[in-house]
Amino acid sequence: MKLFSYLFKLDKEFVKSALVIAIPLMVQQLIVSSVNLIDNLMVGQLGDVALSSVSNANRFYMIVLFGIQGMIAACTIYLSQYNGADDVKHMKETFRFSIVSSYIMCAFFFMIAFLFPSQIISFFIHNDEVIATGTAYLQIACFTYIPVVLSLCISASLRALGETRIPLYVSIVSVLTNTFLNYCLIFGNFGFKAYGVKGAALATLCARILEMIIYLVVIKRSDMPFKTRIRDIFDFSGDLAKHITIRAIPLCINETMWSFGMSTLLKCYANRGLEVNTAYGMASTISDLFFVLFSGMATATTVLVGTLLGANRLKEAKENGYKLISLSIYLSIIFLTLMFMSSFVVPYLYNVSIESKHLASSFLKIMAVFFMLYMFNTECFFILRSGGDTRSTLIFDSCFMWAINIPLVAIMSYMTDMNILMMYAIGQSTDILKAIVATAFIRKEKWVRNLTNEVA
């Protein structure tokens, strides 16, 4: 089956079914990203130092988040396929294992953040004021990891079954709470004391705890097939744990290496000054408004490919995978256009230096140019993952980043005086080679596999 034969034809019924699954999650992520942008603008009112401090502290959070999501993603691969096979017993065991394994990882990351906050911030930037402010933020923010893990396990399991409305509603409550508390605790409104960046951390912690409580209540009252009792949390077979872990190790390594790699790239770019550090953080937050497409397509792929693989409808799953690549490319055209247009307005809403505003705007324009390429590579990643081909995802994603992208950017940053925007554009252009590698892995079709037969 030829991949490119699908790029110039769209099945209207398939597009409709994909969008029905993807749009609720895209809306959810858009709400989250929009509120994150508002939060970012609030912190930005405190100046470049505060904004840079929070941005760098959140870099470590992204490493934690992606690392744990690697384990959860491996579990959802099996959960989705067991759903296709209508195997409730293994669905429950998979959900339990996702919680236990994720909290083991969480404990490791939490201890690092709690014990060594200043060392974490100083890795990203060498500025005493930023390090001190970022440390104060991280010492509180690290406690958010605890409720976040359970929320991630539940929401990912819901999406694996195609239930995207509940995560949407929970996120709306969570982000509105976070925004309101940010307004109160950062600036001291409605009788609260003004805590500055510490207030932003406290607001996030409160919102995350509320989010977790809502998920627990929803699951308790629902009839989801993976629903389990607390006393049974450790009730899963060793064989299942072994197979999931085998799939999870490459994903966890990949997600951790990728997020750490993104932080390393930031460190390389930040070598050119505080304005670059601030601008890159701004651009990343704004671009999240458009990267919601990735989240929507991830869920659509899990349902339209993973579930069919579990039901042993391999030919249909394979066709759906190629159709999703085609759909993602067409959708990316809309999103890259909106991202490019936003670069002329949104960065200038921040209360930071004019240099930072101009740089953030330019970063966004470059991202928009490469957005279609990002989407193609990301959809290939989701398809490979849905069939359990996690080794290929590791090779073409994070291994590619550390072998090609990071060394190239590091050389340009530390060994030349190249303009930062030129350096960034050259770094992003490596995704062209990455797309060639991704295409090769997709066409091998090792991802067209029913994993449910592997576990007794």
Side-chain angles (χ1 to χ4, degrees):
M1 185 173 294
K2 296 182 179 180
L3 167 62
F4 294 104
S5 65
Y6 284 85
L7 295 183
F8 302 102
K9 57 181 180 180
L10 288 176
D11 182 333
K12 292 183 179 180
E13 288 301 315
F14 177 81
V15 170
K16 181 180 178 180
S17 62
L19 292 180
V20 165
I21 298 169
I23 287 177
L25 184 58
M26 289 165 61
V27 173
Q28 176 196 348
Q29 290 299 111
L30 181 61
I31 293 170
V32 172
S33 298
S34 298
V35 175
N36 285 343
L37 175 61
I38 295 171
D39 293 347
N40 210 239
L41 288 168
M42 289 184 188
V43 174
Q45 300 306 307
L46 303 176
D48 282 42
V49 170
L51 183 57
S52 183
S53 300
V54 173
S55 295
N56 283 293
N58 284 336
R59 288 291 164 186
F60 181 74
Y61 172 70
M62 294 306 296
I63 295 174
V64 176
L65 185 65
F66 276 88
I68 293 174
Q69 281 185 330
M71 174 59 73
I72 295 175
C75 293
T76 56
I77 291 171
Y78 281 84
L79 191 64
S80 173
Q81 293 210 13
Y82 282 130
N83 181 44
D86 198 25
D87 187 341
V88 175
K89 175 179 178 294
H90 280 107
M91 289 175 70
K92 291 181 181 293
E93 291 186 18
T94 302
F95 178 62
R96 294 167 191 154
F97 182 71
S98 72
I99 295 174
V100 173
S101 57
S102 297
Y103 268 110
I104 291 173
M105 295 182 66
C106 176
F108 170 73
F109 286 119
F110 172 80
M111 292 305 296
I112 293 176
F114 185 72
L115 297 175
F116 309 106
S118 60
Q119 289 86 343
I120 291 171
I121 304 300
S122 62
F123 171 81
F124 300 113
I125 188 169
H126 299 294
N127 181 297
D128 291 340
E129 196 173 357
V130 172
I131 292 171
T133 307
T135 297
Y137 176 87
L138 186 56
Q139 285 176 326
I140 299 172
C142 66
F143 285 93
T144 63
Y145 305 167
I146 299 171
V148 161
V149 167
L150 187 56
S151 296
L152 286 174
C153 290
I154 296 174
S155 61
S157 298
L158 290 169
R159 294 183 190 117
L161 272 59
E163 175 52 73
T164 55
R165 292 173 300 171
I166 292 175
L168 170 61
Y169 300 148
V170 175
S171 289
I172 290 173
V173 175
S174 176
V175 296
L176 290 177
T177 301
N178 193 17
T179 302
F180 174 74
L181 291 177
N182 267 338
Y183 183 70
C184 295
L185 298 174
I186 293 175
F187 306 111
N189 292 305
F190 296 111
F192 287 87
K193 180 180 177 181
Y195 289 98
V197 295
K198 288 185 178 180
L202 287 169
T204 301
L205 177 58
C206 293
R208 292 302 190 183
I209 292 173
L210 176 62
E211 179 182 60
M212 179 189 68
I213 292 172
I214 295 174
Y215 270 123
L216 287 173
V217 172
V218 167
I219 290 300
K220 182 175 177 58
R221 295 182 177 180
S222 73
D223 57 353
M224 291 295 164
F226 60 81
K227 178 179 176 180
T228 188
R229 295 172 297 186
I230 296 176
R231 66 171 177 266
D232 296 329
I233 197 68
F234 295 103
D235 183 13
F236 47 82
S237 72
D239 191 39
L240 176 65
K242 174 185 174 182
H243 279 84
I244 293 178
T245 302
I246 290 173
R247 304 291 176 193
I249 288 175
L251 274 178
C252 290
I253 293 174
N254 178 72
E255 298 298 321
T256 303
M257 286 179 61
W258 186 85
S259 55
F260 184 61
M262 291 299 293
S263 298
T264 302
L265 287 172
L266 170 62
K267 180 179 175 66
C268 293
Y269 297 134
N271 182 51
R272 298 304 172 89
L274 179 60
E275 289 80 8
V276 174
N277 187 285
T278 302
Y280 190 81
M282 292 164 56
S284 296
T285 302
I286 298 168
S287 66
D288 285 344
L289 295 173
F290 308 97
F291 287 136
V292 298
L293 177 60
F294 294 6
S295 299
M297 294 307 294
T299 300
T301 305
T302 298
V303 175
L304 296 176
V305 178
T307 302
L308 293 179
L309 290 174
N312 214 38
R313 295 157 61 182
L314 304 185
K315 182 179 179 181
E316 189 177 349
K318 181 166 58 176
E319 291 178 348
N320 282 359
Y322 292 131
K323 290 177 181 178
L324 284 168
I325 292 176
S326 178
L327 176 60
S328 67
I329 291 174
Y330 284 103
L331 290 175
S332 70
I333 297 173
I334 300 172
F335 281 76
L336 72 85
T337 302
L338 295 173
M339 179 185 283
F340 191 85
M341 293 170 61
S342 75
S343 68
F344 294 97
V345 179
V346 184
Y348 297 95
L349 301 177
Y350 282 82
N351 183 30
V352 295
S353 66
I354 191 63
E355 291 83 1
S356 295
K357 294 178 182 179
H358 288 330
L359 275 174
S361 176
S362 298
F363 279 137
L364 282 171
K365 290 182 177 69
I366 295 172
M367 289 181 193
V369 169
F370 288 99
F371 190 88
M372 185 184 295
L373 201 57
Y374 301 155
M375 187 65 252
F376 175 82
N377 290 337
T378 304
E379 182 56 37
C380 288
F381 177 92
F382 294 148
I383 291 171
L384 292 170
R385 189 179 68 182
S386 68
D389 190 7
T390 55
R391 291 182 181 178
S392 295
T393 62
L394 174 61
I395 293 171
F396 102 85
D397 199 27
S398 61
C399 287
F400 180 89
M401 172 186 281
W402 282 93
I404 306 295
N405 189 227
I406 291 176
L408 177 61
V409 172
I411 290 171
M412 291 187 292
S413 176
Y414 293 100
M415 301 180 66
T416 75
D417 58 355
M418 185 181 297
N419 176 275
I420 181 61
L421 295 177
M422 177 64 71
M423 183 170 73
Y424 183 69
I426 292 174
Q428 298 307 293
S429 68
T430 59
D431 266 48
I432 298 173
L433 179 58
K434 183 177 178 179
I436 296 173
V437 176
T439 302
F441 280 128
I442 287 291
R443 295 179 70 176
K444 286 182 179 179
E445 297 184 350
K446 289 183 178 180
W447 52 274
V448 186
R449 182 189 311 171
N450 184 347
L451 301 174
T452 63
N453 297 325
E454 297 179 359
V455 183

